[in-house]
Coordinates of all heavy atoms in Angstrom, one line a residue:
M1 N -18.0 -0.9 19.1 CA -17.4 -2.1 19.4 C -15.8 -2.0 19.3 O -15.1 -2.5 20.2 CB -17.9 -3.2 18.4 CG -17.3 -4.6 18.6 SD -17.9 -5.2 20.2 CE -17.0 -6.8 20.2
K2 N -15.4 -1.4 18.2 CA -13.9 -1.3 18.0 C -13.3 -0.4 19.1 O -12.3 -0.7 19.6 CB -13.6 -0.7 16.6 CG -12.8 -1.6 15.7 CD -12.6 -0.9 14.4 CE -11.9 -1.8 13.5 NZ -11.6 -1.2 12.2
Q3 N -14.0 0.7 19.4 CA -13.4 1.6 20.4 C -13.4 1.0 21.8 O -12.4 1.1 22.5 CB -14.3 2.9 20.4 CG -13.7 4.0 21.2 CD -14.5 5.3 21.1 OE1 -15.6 5.2 20.7 NE2 -13.9 6.3 21.6
T4 N -14.4 0.2 22.1 CA -14.4 -0.5 23.4 C -13.2 -1.5 23.5 O -12.6 -1.6 24.5 CB -15.7 -1.3 23.6 OG1 -16.8 -0.4 23.4 CG2 -15.8 -1.9 24.9
T5 N -13.0 -2.2 22.4 CA -11.9 -3.2 22.4 C -10.5 -2.4 22.6 O -9.7 -2.9 23.3 CB -11.8 -3.9 21.0 OG1 -13.1 -4.5 20.8 CG2 -10.8 -5.0 21.0
Y6 N -10.4 -1.3 21.9 CA -9.1 -0.5 22.1 C -9.0 0.0 23.6 O -7.9 -0.1 24.1 CB -9.1 0.7 21.1 CG -8.9 0.3 19.7 CD1 -9.6 0.9 18.7 CD2 -8.0 -0.7 19.3 CE1 -9.4 0.5 17.4 CE2 -7.8 -1.1 18.0 CZ -8.5 -0.4 17.0 OH -8.3 -0.8 15.7
I7 N -10.1 0.4 24.1 CA -10.0 0.9 25.5 C -9.6 -0.3 26.5 O -8.8 -0.1 27.4 CB -11.4 1.5 25.9 CG1 -11.6 2.8 25.2 CG2 -11.4 1.7 27.4 CD1 -12.9 3.4 25.4
I8 N -10.2 -1.4 26.3 CA -9.9 -2.6 27.1 C -8.5 -3.0 26.9 O -7.8 -3.3 27.9 CB -10.9 -3.8 26.8 CG1 -12.3 -3.4 27.3 CG2 -10.4 -5.1 27.5 CD1 -13.4 -4.4 26.8
L9 N -8.0 -3.1 25.7 CA -6.6 -3.4 25.5 C -5.6 -2.4 26.1 O -4.6 -2.8 26.6 CB -6.3 -3.5 24.0 CG -6.9 -4.8 23.3 CD1 -6.6 -4.7 21.8 CD2 -6.2 -6.0 23.9
T10 N -6.0 -1.1 26.0 CA -5.2 -0.1 26.7 C -5.1 -0.3 28.2 O -4.0 -0.2 28.8 CB -5.7 1.3 26.3 OG1 -5.7 1.4 24.9 CG2 -4.9 2.4 26.9
I11 N -6.2 -0.5 28.8 CA -6.3 -0.7 30.2 C -5.5 -2.0 30.6 O -4.7 -1.9 31.6 CB -7.7 -0.8 30.7 CG1 -8.4 0.5 30.6 CG2 -7.8 -1.3 32.2 CD1 -9.9 0.5 30.8
V12 N -5.6 -3.0 29.9 CA -4.9 -4.3 30.2 C -3.4 -4.0 30.1 O -2.6 -4.4 30.9 CB -5.3 -5.4 29.3 CG1 -4.4 -6.6 29.4 CG2 -6.7 -5.8 29.7
T13 N -3.0 -3.3 29.0 CA -1.6 -3.0 28.8 C -1.0 -2.1 29.9 O 0.1 -2.3 30.4 CB -1.4 -2.3 27.4 OG1 -1.9 -3.1 26.4 CG2 0.1 -2.0 27.1
L14 N -1.8 -1.1 30.3 CA -1.3 -0.2 31.4 C -1.2 -1.0 32.7 O -0.2 -0.8 33.5 CB -2.3 0.9 31.6 CG -2.2 2.0 30.5 CD1 -3.3 3.0 30.7 CD2 -0.9 2.6 30.4
I15 N -2.1 -1.9 33.0 CA -2.0 -2.8 34.2 C -0.7 -3.6 34.1 O 0.0 -3.7 35.1 CB -3.3 -3.6 34.4 CG1 -4.5 -2.7 34.7 CG2 -3.1 -4.7 35.4 CD1 -5.8 -3.4 34.7
F16 N -0.5 -4.2 32.9 CA 0.7 -5.0 32.8 C 2.0 -4.2 33.0 O 2.9 -4.6 33.7 CB 0.7 -5.6 31.3 CG 2.0 -6.3 31.0 CD1 2.2 -7.6 31.5 CD2 2.9 -5.8 30.2 CE1 3.4 -8.3 31.2 CE2 4.1 -6.4 29.9 CZ 4.3 -7.7 30.4
I17 N 2.0 -2.9 32.5 CA 3.2 -2.1 32.7 C 3.4 -1.7 34.2 O 4.5 -1.8 34.7 CB 3.0 -0.8 31.8 CG1 3.2 -1.1 30.3 CG2 4.0 0.3 32.2 CD1 2.8 0.0 29.4
V18 N 2.3 -1.4 34.9 CA 2.4 -1.1 36.3 C 2.9 -2.3 37.1 O 3.8 -2.2 37.9 CB 1.1 -0.6 36.8 CG1 1.1 -0.5 38.3 CG2 0.7 0.8 36.2
V19 N 2.4 -3.5 36.8 CA 2.8 -4.7 37.5 C 4.3 -5.0 37.2 O 5.0 -5.3 38.1 CB 1.9 -5.9 37.2 CG1 2.5 -7.2 37.7 CG2 0.5 -5.7 37.7
F20 N 4.6 -4.9 36.0 CA 6.0 -5.1 35.6 C 7.0 -4.1 36.3 O 8.0 -4.5 36.8 CB 6.2 -5.0 34.0 CG 7.6 -5.1 33.5 CD1 8.1 -6.4 33.3 CD2 8.3 -4.0 33.3 CE1 9.4 -6.5 32.9 CE2 9.6 -4.1 32.8 CZ 10.2 -5.4 32.6
T21 N 6.6 -2.9 36.3 CA 7.4 -1.9 37.0 C 7.6 -2.1 38.5 O 8.7 -2.0 39.0 CB 6.9 -0.5 36.7 OG1 6.7 -0.2 35.3 CG2 7.7 0.6 37.3
L22 N 6.5 -2.5 39.1 CA 6.5 -2.8 40.6 C 7.3 -4.0 40.9 O 8.0 -4.1 42.0 CB 5.1 -2.9 41.1 CG 4.3 -1.6 41.1 CD1 2.8 -1.9 41.6 CD2 4.9 -0.6 42.0
Q23 N 7.4 -5.0 40.0 CA 8.1 -6.2 40.2 C 9.6 -6.1 39.9 O 10.4 -6.9 40.3 CB 7.5 -7.4 39.5 CG 6.2 -7.8 40.0 CD 5.6 -9.0 39.3 OE1 6.1 -9.4 38.2 NE2 4.6 -9.6 39.9
N24 N 10.0 -5.0 39.1 CA 11.4 -4.9 38.7 C 12.0 -3.6 39.1 O 12.5 -2.8 38.3 CB 11.5 -5.0 37.2 CG 11.1 -6.4 36.7 OD1 11.9 -7.3 36.9 ND2 10.0 -6.5 36.1
T25 N 11.9 -3.3 40.4 CA 12.4 -2.1 41.0 C 13.9 -2.1 41.4 O 14.4 -1.1 41.7 CB 11.6 -1.6 42.2 OG1 11.7 -2.7 43.2 CG2 10.2 -1.4 41.8
S26 N 14.5 -3.3 41.3 CA 15.9 -3.3 41.7 C 16.8 -2.5 40.8 O 16.5 -2.3 39.6 CB 16.4 -4.8 41.7 OG 16.3 -5.3 40.4
E27 N 17.9 -2.0 41.4 CA 18.8 -1.1 40.6 C 19.8 -2.0 40.0 O 20.3 -3.0 40.5 CB 19.5 -0.1 41.5 CG 18.6 1.1 41.9 CD 19.4 2.2 42.4 OE1 20.7 2.1 42.6 OE2 18.9 3.3 42.6
V28 N 20.2 -1.6 38.8 CA 21.3 -2.2 38.0 C 22.3 -1.2 37.7 O 22.0 0.0 37.5 CB 20.8 -2.9 36.7 CG1 19.9 -4.1 37.1 CG2 20.0 -1.9 35.9
R29 N 23.6 -1.6 37.6 CA 24.7 -0.8 37.2 C 25.1 -1.0 35.8 O 25.3 -2.2 35.4 CB 25.8 -1.0 38.2 CG 27.0 -0.1 38.0 CD 28.0 -0.3 39.1 NE 29.3 0.1 38.6 CZ 30.3 -0.7 38.5 NH1 30.2 -1.9 38.9 NH2 31.4 -0.3 37.9
I30 N 25.2 0.0 35.0 CA 25.6 -0.1 33.6 C 26.9 0.6 33.4 O 27.0 1.8 33.8 CB 24.5 0.6 32.7 CG1 23.2 -0.1 32.9 CG2 24.9 0.4 31.2 CD1 22.0 0.7 32.3
S31 N 27.9 -0.1 32.9 CA 29.2 0.5 32.6 C 29.5 0.4 31.1 O 29.4 -0.7 30.6 CB 30.3 -0.2 33.4 OG 30.1 -0.1 34.8
L32 N 29.8 1.6 30.5 CA 30.1 1.6 29.1 C 31.2 2.7 28.9 O 30.9 3.9 29.2 CB 28.9 1.9 28.3 CG 29.1 2.1 26.8 CD1 29.5 0.7 26.2 CD2 27.8 2.5 26.1
L33 N 32.4 2.2 28.6 CA 33.5 3.1 28.4 C 33.8 3.9 29.6 O 34.1 3.3 30.7 CB 33.4 4.0 27.2 CG 33.2 3.3 25.8 CD1 32.9 4.2 24.7 CD2 34.5 2.5 25.5
F34 N 33.6 5.2 29.6 CA 33.8 6.0 30.8 C 32.5 6.4 31.5 O 32.5 7.2 32.5 CB 34.6 7.3 30.4 CG 34.0 8.1 29.3 CD1 33.0 9.0 29.6 CD2 34.4 7.9 28.0 CE1 32.4 9.8 28.6 CE2 33.8 8.6 27.0 CZ 32.8 9.5 27.3
W35 N 31.4 5.8 31.1 CA 30.1 6.1 31.8 C 29.9 5.0 32.8 O 30.1 3.8 32.6 CB 29.0 6.1 30.8 CG 28.9 7.3 29.9 CD1 29.2 8.6 30.2 CD2 28.6 7.3 28.5 NE1 29.1 9.4 29.1 CE2 28.7 8.6 28.1 CE3 28.2 6.3 27.7 CZ2 28.5 8.9 26.8 CZ3 28.0 6.6 26.3 CH2 28.1 8.0 25.9
D36 N 29.3 5.4 34.0 CA 28.9 4.4 35.0 C 27.5 4.9 35.5 O 27.4 5.9 36.2 CB 29.9 4.3 36.1 CG 29.6 3.2 37.0 OD1 29.0 2.2 36.6 OD2 30.1 3.3 38.2
I37 N 26.4 4.2 35.2 CA 25.1 4.7 35.5 C 24.4 3.6 36.3 O 24.5 2.4 36.1 CB 24.3 4.9 34.2 CG1 25.0 5.9 33.3 CG2 22.9 5.4 34.5 CD1 24.4 6.0 31.9
K38 N 23.6 4.1 37.3 CA 22.8 3.2 38.1 C 21.3 3.6 37.8 O 21.0 4.8 37.9 CB 23.0 3.4 39.6 CG 24.3 2.7 40.1 CD 24.4 2.8 41.6 CE 25.7 2.2 42.0 NZ 25.9 2.3 43.4
T39 N 20.5 2.6 37.5 CA 19.1 2.9 37.1 C 18.3 1.6 37.5 O 18.8 0.6 37.7 CB 19.0 3.2 35.6 OG1 17.6 3.5 35.4 CG2 19.4 2.1 34.7
S40 N 17.0 1.8 37.5 CA 16.1 0.6 37.8 C 16.0 -0.3 36.6 O 16.2 0.2 35.4 CB 14.7 1.1 38.2 OG 14.0 1.6 37.1
L41 N 15.8 -1.5 36.8 CA 15.8 -2.5 35.8 C 14.6 -2.2 34.8 O 14.7 -2.3 33.6 CB 15.6 -3.9 36.4 CG 15.6 -5.1 35.4 CD1 16.8 -5.1 34.6 CD2 15.4 -6.4 36.2
A42 N 13.4 -1.9 35.4 CA 12.3 -1.6 34.5 C 12.5 -0.4 33.6 O 12.2 -0.5 32.4 CB 11.1 -1.3 35.4
L43 N 13.2 0.7 34.1 CA 13.5 1.8 33.3 C 14.5 1.4 32.2 O 14.3 1.8 31.0 CB 14.1 2.9 34.1 CG 14.4 4.2 33.4 CD1 13.2 4.8 32.7 CD2 15.1 5.2 34.3
L44 N 15.4 0.6 32.5 CA 16.4 0.1 31.5 C 15.7 -0.7 30.4 O 15.9 -0.4 29.2 CB 17.5 -0.7 32.2 CG 18.5 -1.3 31.2 CD1 19.3 -0.3 30.5 CD2 19.4 -2.3 32.0
I45 N 14.8 -1.6 30.8 CA 14.1 -2.4 29.8 C 13.2 -1.6 28.9 O 13.2 -1.7 27.7 CB 13.3 -3.5 30.5 CG1 14.3 -4.5 31.1 CG2 12.4 -4.2 29.5 CD1 13.7 -5.6 32.0
F46 N 12.5 -0.7 29.5 CA 11.6 0.2 28.7 C 12.4 1.1 27.8 O 12.0 1.3 26.6 CB 10.7 1.0 29.6 CG 9.5 0.3 30.2 CD1 9.2 0.3 31.5 CD2 8.7 -0.5 29.4 CE1 8.2 -0.4 32.1 CE2 7.7 -1.3 29.9 CZ 7.4 -1.2 31.2
S47 N 13.5 1.6 28.2 CA 14.4 2.5 27.4 C 14.9 1.7 26.2 O 14.9 2.2 25.1 CB 15.5 3.1 28.2 OG 15.0 3.8 29.3
L48 N 15.4 0.5 26.5 CA 15.9 -0.3 25.4 C 14.8 -0.7 24.4 O 15.1 -0.7 23.2 CB 16.7 -1.5 25.9 CG 18.0 -1.2 26.6 CD1 18.6 -2.4 27.2 CD2 19.0 -0.5 25.7
F49 N 13.7 -1.0 24.9 CA 12.5 -1.3 24.0 C 12.2 -0.1 23.1 O 12.0 -0.3 21.9 CB 11.3 -1.7 24.9 CG 10.1 -2.0 24.0 CD1 10.0 -3.2 23.3 CD2 9.1 -1.1 24.0 CE1 8.9 -3.4 22.5 CE2 7.9 -1.4 23.3 CZ 7.8 -2.5 22.5
A50 N 12.1 1.1 23.7 CA 11.8 2.3 23.0 C 12.8 2.6 21.9 O 12.5 2.9 20.8 CB 11.6 3.5 23.9
L51 N 14.1 2.4 22.3 CA 15.2 2.5 21.3 C 15.1 1.6 20.2 O 15.2 1.9 19.0 CB 16.5 2.4 22.0 CG 17.8 2.6 21.2 CD1 17.8 4.1 20.7 CD2 19.0 2.2 21.9
G52 N 14.7 0.4 20.4 CA 14.5 -0.6 19.4 C 13.3 -0.3 18.5 O 13.4 -0.4 17.2
V53 N 12.2 0.2 19.1 CA 11.0 0.6 18.3 C 11.4 1.8 17.4 O 11.1 1.8 16.2 CB 9.9 1.0 19.2 CG1 8.8 1.7 18.4 CG2 9.3 -0.3 19.9
L54 N 12.1 2.8 17.9 CA 12.5 3.9 17.1 C 13.4 3.5 16.0 O 13.3 4.1 14.9 CB 13.2 5.0 18.0 CG 12.2 5.7 19.0 CD1 13.0 6.7 19.9 CD2 11.1 6.5 18.2
T55 N 14.4 2.6 16.2 CA 15.3 2.1 15.2 C 14.5 1.4 14.1 O 14.7 1.7 12.9 CB 16.3 1.2 15.8 OG1 17.0 1.9 16.8 CG2 17.3 0.7 14.8
A56 N 13.5 0.6 14.5 CA 12.7 -0.1 13.5 C 11.9 0.9 12.7 O 11.8 0.7 11.4 CB 11.8 -1.1 14.2
I57 N 11.3 1.9 13.3 CA 10.6 2.9 12.5 C 11.4 3.6 11.5 O 11.1 3.8 10.4 CB 9.9 3.9 13.5 CG1 8.7 3.2 14.3 CG2 9.4 5.1 12.8 CD1 8.2 4.0 15.4
F58 N 12.6 4.0 12.0 CA 13.6 4.7 11.1 C 13.9 3.8 9.9 O 13.9 4.3 8.7 CB 14.8 5.1 11.9 CG 15.9 5.7 11.0 CD1 15.7 7.0 10.5 CD2 17.0 5.1 10.7 CE1 16.7 7.6 9.7 CE2 18.0 5.7 9.9 CZ 17.8 6.9 9.4
I59 N 14.3 2.6 10.1 CA 14.7 1.7 9.0 C 13.5 1.4 8.1 O 13.6 1.4 6.9 CB 15.2 0.4 9.6 CG1 16.6 0.6 10.2 CG2 15.4 -0.7 8.5 CD1 17.2 -0.5 11.0
L60 N 12.3 1.2 8.6 CA 11.1 0.9 7.8 C 10.8 2.2 7.0 O 10.3 2.1 5.9 CB 10.0 0.5 8.7 CG 10.1 -0.9 9.2 CD1 9.0 -1.2 10.2 CD2 10.2 -2.0 8.1
T61 N 11.0 3.4 7.6 CA 10.7 4.6 6.8 C 11.6 4.7 5.6 O 11.2 5.0 4.5 CB 10.9 5.8 7.7 OG1 10.0 5.7 8.8 CG2 10.6 7.1 7.0
L62 N 12.9 4.4 5.8 CA 13.8 4.4 4.7 C 13.4 3.4 3.6 O 13.5 3.7 2.4 CB 15.2 4.1 5.1 CG 15.9 5.2 6.0 CD1 17.3 4.7 6.5 CD2 16.0 6.5 5.3
I63 N 13.0 2.2 4.0 CA 12.5 1.2 3.1 C 11.3 1.6 2.3 O 11.2 1.5 1.1 CB 12.3 -0.2 3.8 CG1 13.6 -0.8 4.3 CG2 11.6 -1.2 2.9 CD1 13.5 -2.0 5.2
I64 N 10.3 2.2 3.0 CA 9.1 2.7 2.3 C 9.5 3.8 1.3 O 8.9 3.8 0.2 CB 8.1 3.2 3.4 CG1 7.5 2.0 4.2 CG2 7.0 4.0 2.8 CD1 6.7 2.4 5.4
I65 N 10.4 4.7 1.7 CA 10.7 5.8 0.7 C 11.4 5.2 -0.5 O 11.1 5.6 -1.6 CB 11.7 6.8 1.4 CG1 10.9 7.6 2.5 CG2 12.4 7.7 0.4 CD1 11.8 8.5 3.4
A66 N 12.3 4.2 -0.3 CA 12.9 3.6 -1.5 C 11.9 2.8 -2.3 O 11.9 2.9 -3.6 CB 14.0 2.6 -1.0
L67 N 10.9 2.1 -1.7 CA 9.9 1.4 -2.5 C 9.0 2.4 -3.3 O 8.6 2.1 -4.4 CB 9.1 0.5 -1.6 CG 9.8 -0.7 -1.1 CD1 8.9 -1.4 0.0 CD2 10.2 -1.6 -2.2
K68 N 8.6 3.5 -2.7 CA 7.8 4.5 -3.4 C 8.6 5.1 -4.5 O 8.0 5.4 -5.6 CB 7.4 5.6 -2.4 CG 6.3 5.2 -1.5 CD 5.8 6.4 -0.6 CE 4.6 6.0 0.2 NZ 4.1 7.1 1.0
S69 N 9.9 5.3 -4.4 CA 10.7 5.9 -5.5 C 10.7 4.9 -6.6 O 10.5 5.2 -7.8 CB 12.1 6.1 -5.0 OG 12.9 6.5 -6.1
T70 N 10.9 3.6 -6.3 CA 10.9 2.5 -7.3 C 9.5 2.5 -8.0 O 9.4 2.3 -9.3 CB 11.2 1.2 -6.7 OG1 12.5 1.3 -6.1 CG2 11.3 0.1 -7.8
L71 N 8.4 2.6 -7.3 CA 7.1 2.5 -7.8 C 6.9 3.7 -8.8 O 6.3 3.5 -9.9 CB 6.1 2.6 -6.7 CG 4.6 2.6 -7.1 CD1 4.3 1.2 -7.8 CD2 3.7 2.7 -5.9
R72 N 7.3 4.9 -8.4 CA 7.2 6.1 -9.3 C 7.9 5.8 -10.6 O 7.4 6.1 -11.7 CB 7.6 7.3 -8.6 CG 6.6 8.0 -7.8 CD 7.0 9.4 -7.3 NE 6.9 9.4 -5.9 CZ 7.9 9.4 -5.0 NH1 9.1 9.4 -5.4 NH2 7.6 9.3 -3.7
K73 N 9.1 5.3 -10.5 CA 9.9 5.0 -11.8 C 9.2 4.0 -12.6 O 9.1 4.2 -13.9 CB 11.3 4.6 -11.4 CG 12.2 5.6 -10.8 CD 13.5 5.0 -10.4 CE 14.4 6.0 -9.7 NZ 15.6 5.5 -9.2
D74 N 8.7 3.0 -12.0 CA 8.0 1.9 -12.8 C 6.7 2.5 -13.4 O 6.4 2.1 -14.5 CB 7.7 0.7 -11.9 CG 8.9 -0.1 -11.5 OD1 10.0 0.2 -12.1 OD2 8.8 -0.9 -10.5
E75 N 6.0 3.3 -12.7 CA 4.8 3.9 -13.3 C 5.1 4.8 -14.5 O 4.4 4.8 -15.5 CB 4.0 4.7 -12.2 CG 3.3 3.8 -11.2 CD 2.7 4.6 -10.1 OE1 3.1 5.8 -9.9 OE2 1.8 4.1 -9.4
K76 N 6.2 5.5 -14.5 CA 6.7 6.3 -15.6 C 7.0 5.4 -16.8 O 6.6 5.7 -17.9 CB 7.9 7.2 -15.2 CG 7.5 8.4 -14.4 CD 8.8 9.2 -14.1 CE 8.5 10.3 -13.1 NZ 9.7 11.1 -12.7
I77 N 7.7 4.3 -16.5 CA 8.0 3.4 -17.6 C 6.8 2.8 -18.2 O 6.6 2.7 -19.5 CB 9.0 2.3 -17.1 CG1 10.3 2.9 -16.7 CG2 9.1 1.2 -18.1 CD1 11.2 1.9 -16.0
I78 N 5.8 2.4 -17.4 CA 4.6 1.8 -17.9 C 3.8 2.8 -18.7 O 3.3 2.5 -19.8 CB 3.7 1.3 -16.7 CG1 4.4 0.1 -16.1 CG2 2.3 1.0 -17.2 CD1 3.7 -0.4 -14.8
S79 N 3.7 4.1 -18.3 CA 3.0 5.1 -19.0 C 3.7 5.4 -20.3 O 3.0 5.6 -21.4 CB 2.7 6.3 -18.2 OG 4.0 7.0 -17.9
A80 N 5.0 5.4 -20.3 CA 5.8 5.6 -21.6 C 5.5 4.5 -22.6 O 5.5 4.7 -23.8 CB 7.2 5.8 -21.3
L81 N 5.4 3.2 -22.1 CA 5.2 2.1 -23.0 C 3.8 2.1 -23.5 O 3.6 1.5 -24.6 CB 5.5 0.8 -22.2 CG 7.0 0.5 -21.9 CD1 7.1 -0.7 -21.0 CD2 7.8 0.3 -23.2
Q82 N 2.8 2.7 -22.8 CA 1.5 2.7 -23.3 C 1.2 3.7 -24.3 O 0.2 3.7 -25.0 CB 0.5 2.8 -22.1 CG 0.5 1.6 -21.2 CD -0.4 1.7 -20.0 OE1 -0.7 2.9 -19.6 NE2 -0.8 0.6 -19.4
E83 N 2.0 4.8 -24.3 CA 1.8 5.9 -25.3 C 2.1 5.4 -26.7 O 3.1 4.7 -26.9 CB 2.6 7.1 -24.9 CG 2.2 7.7 -23.6 CD 3.1 8.9 -23.2 OE1 4.0 9.2 -23.9 OE2 2.8 9.5 -22.1
P84 N 1.4 6.0 -27.7 CA 1.8 5.7 -29.1 C 3.1 6.3 -29.4 O 3.5 7.4 -28.9 CB 0.7 6.3 -29.9 CG -0.3 6.9 -29.0 CD 0.2 6.7 -27.6
N85 N 3.9 5.7 -30.3 CA 5.2 6.2 -30.6 C 5.3 6.3 -32.1 O 4.4 6.0 -32.9 CB 6.3 5.4 -30.0 CG 6.3 4.0 -30.4 OD1 5.8 3.6 -31.4 ND2 6.8 3.1 -29.5
D86 N 6.5 6.8 -32.6 CA 6.7 7.0 -34.1 C 6.7 5.7 -34.8 O 6.2 5.6 -36.0 CB 8.0 7.7 -34.3 CG 8.0 9.1 -33.8 OD1 6.9 9.6 -33.6 OD2 9.1 9.6 -33.5
L87 N 7.1 4.6 -34.2 CA 7.2 3.3 -34.9 C 5.8 2.7 -35.1 O 5.5 2.0 -36.1 CB 8.1 2.3 -34.2 CG 9.6 2.7 -34.1 CD1 10.3 1.8 -33.3 CD2 10.2 2.9 -35.5
N88 N 4.9 2.9 -34.1 CA 3.6 2.3 -34.1 C 2.6 3.3 -33.6 O 2.2 3.3 -32.4 CB 3.6 1.0 -33.3 CG 2.3 0.2 -33.4 OD1 1.4 0.6 -34.2 ND2 2.2 -0.9 -32.7
P89 N 2.1 4.2 -34.4 CA 1.2 5.3 -34.0 C -0.1 4.8 -33.5 O -0.8 5.5 -32.8 CB 1.1 6.2 -35.2 CG 1.5 5.4 -36.3 CD 2.4 4.3 -35.8
D90 N -0.5 3.6 -33.9 CA -1.9 3.1 -33.6 C -1.9 2.4 -32.2 O -2.9 1.9 -31.8 CB -2.4 2.1 -34.6 CG -2.6 2.9 -35.9 OD1 -2.9 4.1 -35.9 OD2 -2.5 2.2 -37.0
R91 N -0.7 2.3 -31.6 CA -0.6 1.5 -30.4 C -1.3 2.2 -29.2 O -1.1 3.3 -28.9 CB 0.9 1.4 -30.0 CG 1.1 0.6 -28.8 CD 2.6 0.6 -28.5 NE 2.8 -0.3 -27.3 CZ 4.0 -0.7 -26.9 NH1 5.0 -0.3 -27.6 NH2 4.1 -1.4 -25.9
K92 N -2.2 1.5 -28.7 CA -2.9 1.9 -27.5 C -3.2 0.7 -26.6 O -3.9 -0.2 -27.0 CB -4.2 2.6 -27.8 CG -4.9 3.4 -26.7 CD -4.0 4.5 -26.3 CE -4.7 5.3 -25.2 NZ -3.8 6.3 -24.6
V93 N -2.6 0.6 -25.5 CA -2.7 -0.6 -24.6 C -3.8 -0.3 -23.6 O -3.8 0.7 -23.0 CB -1.3 -0.9 -23.9 CG1 -1.5 -2.1 -23.0 CG2 -0.3 -1.1 -24.9
E94 N -4.7 -1.3 -23.5 CA -5.8 -1.2 -22.5 C -5.3 -1.7 -21.2 O -4.6 -2.8 -21.2 CB -7.0 -2.0 -23.0 CG -7.7 -1.4 -24.2 CD -8.3 0.0 -24.0 OE1 -8.8 0.2 -22.9 OE2 -8.2 0.8 -24.9
T95 N -5.6 -1.1 -20.1 CA -5.2 -1.6 -18.8 C -6.5 -2.0 -18.1 O -7.6 -1.6 -18.3 CB -4.5 -0.4 -18.0 OG1 -5.4 0.6 -17.9 CG2 -3.2 0.0 -18.6
E96 N -6.3 -3.0 -17.2 CA -7.4 -3.5 -16.5 C -7.7 -2.7 -15.3 O -7.0 -2.1 -14.6 CB -7.0 -4.9 -16.0 CG -6.8 -5.9 -17.1 CD -6.5 -7.3 -16.6 OE1 -7.3 -7.9 -15.9 OE2 -5.4 -7.7 -17.0

């Protein structure tokens, strides 16, 4: 069932992409500093979308790495607090 749903969604998405590309074939001119490029509107939109997705993945990867680092530090603190120490050798904290 799940695989069929993914196949149907993939086919619908591909049909949408083909229709979008066929309807946006006009050329646009992009000028930036000393560059002057002519490209199709569909290619420009897809390129900018891909650039946005890659930027989001990069930023989210950095956030995930930072959160994992914080989690490891917190786990070390928790395990240190649960161990018996010189002041209270009978200390043993039960975790759920």
Side-chain angles (χ1 to χ4, degrees):
M1 179 67 181
K2 241 181 183 180
Q3 190 174 15
T4 306
T5 305
Y6 289 138
I7 291 172
I8 291 172
L9 284 176
T10 302
I11 291 172
V12 169
T13 303
L14 289 175
I15 290 171
F16 174 75
I17 289 171
V18 168
V19 170
F20 177 82
T21 304
L22 291 175
Q23 289 182 348
N24 293 291
T25 58
S26 61
E27 281 197 355
V28 291
R29 187 173 149 239
I30 304 166
S31 298
L32 178 65
L33 299 174
F34 53 87
W35 291 320
D36 192 25
I37 302 169
K38 286 184 181 178
T39 185
S40 72
L41 182 60
L43 181 63
L44 176 65
I45 291 172
F46 284 131
S47 299
L48 292 176
F49 176 75
L51 183 64
V53 168
L54 291 175
T55 302
I57 289 171
F58 177 72
I59 290 172
L60 289 175
T61 301
L62 294 177
I63 291 171
I64 289 170
I65 290 170
L67 288 173
K68 283 185 178 183
S69 174
T70 303
L71 179 63
R72 274 190 235 108
K73 289 177 187 176
D74 290 345
E75 286 174 344
K76 285 180 184 177
I77 291 171
I78 290 171
S79 65
L81 290 172
Q82 289 177 344
E83 292 177 1
N85 56 28
D86 295 337
L87 297 175
N88 190 0
D90 297 331
R91 179 180 186 171
K92 194 65 177 174
V93 178
E94 295 293 324
T95 57
E96 295 181 61

